[in-house]
Amino acid sequence: MLLFIEQILNGLQLGIMLFLMSAGLTLIFGIMRIINLAHGSFYMIGAYVAATVASYTGSFLLGLLAALPAAALSGMLVELIVFRKLYNRDHLDQVLATFGLILFFNELTRIIWGRQPLFMDVPSWLSHTVELIPGIPYPSYRLAIIFVGIMVALLLYLLFTRTRLGMQIRAGAANREMIAALGVNIKLLNTLVFGLGTLLAGLAGIMAGPILAVEAGMGESILILTFVVIVIGGIGSIKGAMIAAILVGLVDTLGGFLLPSLLRLFLPAATADGAGMSLASMSVYILMAVILIWKPRGLFPVQG
Amino acid sequence: MKKKIAGIAGGFLLALCGAVSAEPVKIGMVTTLSTKAGYLGEDIRDGFKLAIEQGAGKLGGVPVELMVDDDGRKPGKGKQIADRYMKRDKVKIMTGIVFSNVAMAVVPKVVRSDVVYISPNAGPSALAGKGCHENYFNVAWQNDNLSEAAAKHVAENGFKNVYMLAPNYPAGKDAISGFKRFYKGKIAGEVYTKLGQSDYAGELAVLRAAKPDAVLFFLPGGMGINFIKQYAQAGLNTQIPLFGPAFSFDERLLKAVGDAAVGVVNGSQWTHDLDNDANKAFVASFKKAYGRTPTLYASQGFDAANLIGSALKAVNGDLSDLAAFRNAVRKAEFDSVRGAFKFGHNQHPVQDLYVREVVKTADGKTTNRTLNKVSENHVDAYASQCKM
């Protein structure tokens, strides 16, 4: 039972990472109607900048402070240079262009940082365990990820429901022609939303750095799950992204934990683990298929 | 006129022949230079290059040309590179593969095509036993060996309930069978993770719940870095001791994990503190050339180069008679940095195995220190299945 609770925490932590990634992606898709395959690149940029600054200064916080603006600014720059030309093109052109961006950013990081991955350390004040629930000493860094994710979700909630900017963004998601006609500077709004989205992706990358390894192409492994999340949650919906991210995180983690143990009952360990892992990765897509049959526009479709 | 043309053609042909024999012997290295395990290939390459540099571009007095390419840990990519070496470059000697899954895709085909392959790392059981081949030599070890050394140490030190963990690929399965060959006690759990996995939170939760008294694990390169760091973050390093083959405790990995690995005992065929002249010279010159302590991978690359050198010297750089070259390799007349070295009949090393401990030095760095020898003239378990 304790083990089960610990796995739920692990699933929650993965879910939070996915939420940070998908919140930005779903906004960009929802408002600009643009498929941004290169979203993972900003996750990578965040991780690389944080790892570099942290290793030079020895401070994780400085790394965080440098990487957040780096991810946001590079996002806005890419929006100005590339995406502005893509808004009126069809989705195929967008996919091609943003796929090109993936290759560009991966190669760029290889040129700057080399082929070897960087390994980031967890800040020393978060390198211990906390016994939040008796019997489960849980790494404090992972708890911090969950905490940061929940705070970000709250902030986004306040931004969207309590501020004028948030209202404009929501309106833009629902009907961009109409709010442009009402005199809102939609171009500026697009750049801001894009920056916010890449900022969140960068934040996810920074926090993933010490758990994973910072390497070229790290964005693509999380990008696919991110797309699953926004499709399940309903494209353009932050609330949907939150709930779908947690759902996907839990299904992926618990599947990876339960399915191999189930298969071990009648298969040798190596085969069971291999098959179990594959089934677990499939389970996320099965979940997506089931939800799409039930609700073809995702759990929380945005009206528009 | 006819005569003249023939003369010119003849002269041209002669010149061409001269050029061919003066050309350096090409050595094709297929290795892993990217991904989280990229530093393994980097060290093999650097160790190999060091031997060539020491001979001023020659191995065993014969000029050589080393070609290196990155397989990205992908069997398909490795195959492509090997094909290119064989078809375009007409390479007769190949080496370099780090990962056993790549080796299984590349080696059998290469050795069937009259190329001598000298493995500086991957030693899958399938190629040591029934799949052994006269063109295949492994200068490092058979995969199981270092795991056997670690398991022997665990068994001898009275651990009774051991948890085992390895990635799901040929070398991972070899590691677990190596553990089980020498540790016969109760097994608290046996887990296969994804190759290249980064996050071990799920596995660590299961491990904690199984309450073992020791953990034997094999996770090479970056996988090991992440595992050891996360093991310490979960507070497990102070409760359950870790053991494993040297692949998860090489010098570059220790630099990355810091204090998290201090005290861990691991099995190896070589350590930078081994007391023999060849090793002292190697460690000193490697440090001078690259500014870091060599890993076991570097020592294997260096040994592979010197082994090739000894055989090239014996045949005078002439690879037209491959059997002669093979026989010369089999004799292994070179000074291995691990001391005494010879090949068994399946062309895998018969060598001493050690356990070593991760210690903190006076200047705050972590490094390995040899503890004791656990087996002498160790022969791998698959040698008897090799009909050669």
Side-chain angles (χ1 to χ4, degrees):
Chain A
M1 191 58 215
L2 285 178
L3 176 59
F4 196 73
I5 294 171
E6 190 172 351
Q7 297 291 22
I8 285 180
L9 280 176
N10 287 334
L12 208 58
Q13 182 240 310
L14 176 63
I16 291 286
M17 300 294 270
L18 288 174
F19 166 66
L20 291 178
M21 284 294 288
S22 47
L25 194 62
T26 204
L27 273 181
I28 291 168
F29 197 104
I31 295 175
M32 304 170 202
R33 302 275 181 268
I34 198 159
I35 300 176
N36 180 16
L37 290 184
H39 200 60
S41 299
F42 300 101
Y43 169 84
M44 180 173 72
I45 289 172
Y48 263 108
V49 173
T52 312
V53 174
S55 78
Y56 271 109
T57 61
S59 158
F60 181 80
L61 279 182
L62 282 180
L64 185 81
L65 288 178
L68 286 178
L73 288 177
S74 55
M76 290 198 269
L77 198 68
V78 169
E79 199 271 340
L80 281 174
I81 298 172
V82 182
F83 282 79
R84 289 227 162 151
K85 310 215 171 5
L86 291 174
Y87 290 134
N88 297 322
R89 301 286 196 90
D90 64 314
H91 284 326
L92 186 64
D93 289 353
Q94 298 172 353
V95 166
L96 274 176
T98 52
F99 184 71
L101 281 175
I102 293 184
L103 300 179
F104 171 77
F105 280 116
N106 282 347
E107 214 44 50
L108 187 70
T109 51
R110 281 196 194 105
I111 292 169
I112 301 178
W113 284 281
R115 303 174 80 92
Q116 302 285 342
L118 307 177
F119 291 94
M120 252 175 113
D121 280 323
V122 168
S124 57
W125 41 277
L126 281 176
S127 65
H128 306 288
T129 57
V130 184
E131 219 165 315
L132 214 55
I133 305 159
I136 309 176
Y138 199 70
S140 48
Y141 185 75
R142 289 175 194 262
L143 283 177
I145 291 180
I146 298 178
F147 176 75
V148 167
I150 293 172
M151 292 317 286
V152 168
L154 271 177
L155 281 176
L156 285 178
Y157 175 76
L158 290 177
L159 175 73
F160 285 114
T161 54
R162 298 291 150 87
T163 67
R164 190 171 180 81
L165 180 69
M167 200 176 71
Q168 289 175 348
I169 294 175
R170 276 186 298 142
N175 192 332
R176 59 184 271 152
E177 283 78 21
M178 185 55 84
I179 76 154
L182 286 173
V184 176
N185 186 345
I186 189 89
K187 277 189 174 168
L188 182 69
L189 196 65
N190 280 347
T191 312
L192 282 179
V193 169
F194 208 88
L196 177 66
T198 55
L199 176 94
L200 293 176
L203 177 63
I206 299 162
M207 293 199 303
I211 294 184
L212 311 176
V214 182
E215 57 189 327
M218 67 187 284
E220 281 77 83
S221 47
I222 193 167
L223 187 74
I224 299 170
L225 276 185
T226 307
F227 269 105
V228 172
V229 166
I230 68 167
V231 169
I232 291 180
I235 289 164
S237 161
I238 297 275
K239 188 166 93 182
M242 180 76 190
I243 289 169
I246 304 278
L247 205 60
V248 168
L250 285 176
V251 166
D252 191 68
T253 308
L254 292 180
F257 157 58
L258 294 174
L259 288 171
S261 354
L262 200 69
L263 290 174
R264 273 156 178 274
L265 297 176
F266 47 88
L267 282 173
T271 326
D273 283 2
M277 292 277 191
S278 320
L279 280 178
S281 347
M282 271 163 62
S283 60
V284 170
Y285 302 101
I286 297 172
L287 174 79
M288 178 172 78
V290 169
I291 286 181
L292 286 185
I293 291 169
W294 171 45
K295 285 197 156 188
R297 293 175 50 115
L299 290 175
F300 298 93
V302 173
Q303 303 305 321
Chain B
M1 187 65 196
K2 242 182 191 170
K3 236 181 192 172
K4 207 173 170 188
I5 290 176
I8 291 169
F12 190 69
L13 217 67
L14 264 175
L16 208 69
C17 287
V20 166
S21 64
E23 232 176 51
V25 172
K26 285 179 179 161
I27 300 172
M29 180 178 273
V30 186
T31 196
T32 305
L33 296 170
S34 54
T35 79
K36 287 193 281 294
Y39 75 86
L40 276 63
E42 197 176 80
D43 262 32
I44 290 175
R45 180 196 65 194
D46 289 352
F48 201 99
K49 273 190 169 168
L50 183 69
I52 298 179
E53 275 157 30
Q54 285 178 352
K58 294 174 184 175
L59 283 177
V62 176
V64 292
E65 182 195 336
L66 179 69
M67 292 176 292
V68 186
D69 207 345
D70 173 26
D71 61 33
R73 212 187 57 213
K74 294 192 184 83
K77 186 85 195 293
K79 239 174 147 166
Q80 264 175 26
I81 299 169
D83 274 347
R84 199 184 65 219
Y85 283 158
M86 285 192 291
K87 285 185 189 134
R88 194 190 68 188
D89 304 308
K90 313 275 181 242
V91 160
K92 285 281 154 207
I93 305 170
M94 267 195 233
T95 182
I97 297 175
V98 175
F99 280 90
S100 291
N101 52 339
V102 182
M104 288 309 294
V106 173
V107 172
K109 191 182 167 203
V110 161
V111 293
R112 274 199 308 270
S113 322
D114 280 335
V115 169
V116 172
Y117 181 80
I118 308 227
S119 177
N121 201 65
S125 49
L127 297 179
K130 284 192 188 102
C132 66
H133 193 279
E134 55 179 5
N135 285 334
Y136 173 70
F137 294 85
N138 189 312
V139 71
W141 21 255
Q142 192 278 317
N143 281 343
D144 301 22
N145 293 163
L146 307 195
S147 302
E148 290 168 345
K152 202 170 169 198
H153 178 85
V154 166
E156 281 166 2
N157 283 276
F159 291 100
K160 301 230 161 0
N161 192 21
V162 175
Y163 198 85
M164 297 176 182
L165 189 118
N168 208 344
Y169 81 118
K173 288 170 198 163
D174 284 352
I176 298 258
S177 42
F179 291 152
K180 287 181 177 167
R181 198 167 293 124
F182 283 83
Y183 170 79
K184 302 281 185 195
K186 196 175 158 226
I187 293 171
E190 180 186 335
V191 172
Y192 295 90
T193 62
K194 231 189 276 177
L195 185 63
Q197 188 170 325
S198 302
D199 191 353
Y200 293 93
E203 284 77 8
L204 288 175
V206 180
L207 190 155
R208 188 200 305 278
K211 296 193 170 57
D213 61 7
V215 175
L216 268 169
F217 80 104
F218 160 65
L219 291 166
M223 292 176 256
I225 295 179
N226 282 355
F227 180 81
I228 294 168
K229 282 196 334 198
Q230 290 167 19
Y231 195 79
Q233 281 161 24
L236 285 163
N237 59 334
T238 51
Q239 297 165 13
I240 311 164
L242 285 175
F243 298 92
F247 312 124
S248 315
F249 305 98
D250 63 72
E251 297 297 317
R252 290 180 73 169
L253 184 145
L254 292 181
K255 208 175 145 205
V257 300
D259 287 352
V262 170
V264 172
V265 176
N266 60 99
S268 188
Q269 89 286 11
W270 174 89
T271 303
H272 57 87
D273 65 358
L274 277 191
D275 193 16
N276 67 62
D277 292 341
N279 194 36
K280 280 181 196 154
F282 162 67
V283 173
S285 54
F286 190 93
K287 276 184 181 164
K288 193 167 163 246
Y290 302 106
R292 58 177 196 262
T293 309
T295 60
L296 73 158
Y297 308 111
S299 84
Q300 291 156 196
F302 187 75
D303 270 359
N306 284 325
L307 171 69
I308 292 172
S310 73
L312 282 177
K313 191 176 179 187
V315 298
N316 220 348
D318 177 18
L319 292 177
S320 54
D321 183 3
L322 211 59
F325 178 71
R326 229 168 19 226
N327 288 334
V329 175
R330 209 171 285 130
K331 281 186 197 139
E333 282 167 342
F334 73 108
D335 291 325
S336 168
V337 292
R338 65 201 105 161
F341 179 94
K342 66 173 195 273
F343 280 119
H345 87 283
N346 62 344
Q347 305 185 155
H348 281 61
V350 176
Q351 60 186 343
D352 298 346
L353 297 175
Y354 305 84
V355 284
R356 50 194 208 168
E357 188 185 13
V358 180
V359 293
K360 221 171 160 131
T361 56
D363 54 354
K365 288 179 182 150
T366 45
T367 189
N368 279 292
R369 195 188 61 200
T370 303
L371 281 182
N372 58 286
K373 201 181 273 189
V374 286
S375 334
E376 204 149 320
N377 290 328
H378 187 86
V379 181
D380 66 88
Y382 306 95
S384 57
Q385 294 167 22
C386 169
K387 308 238 178 335
M388 191 155 62

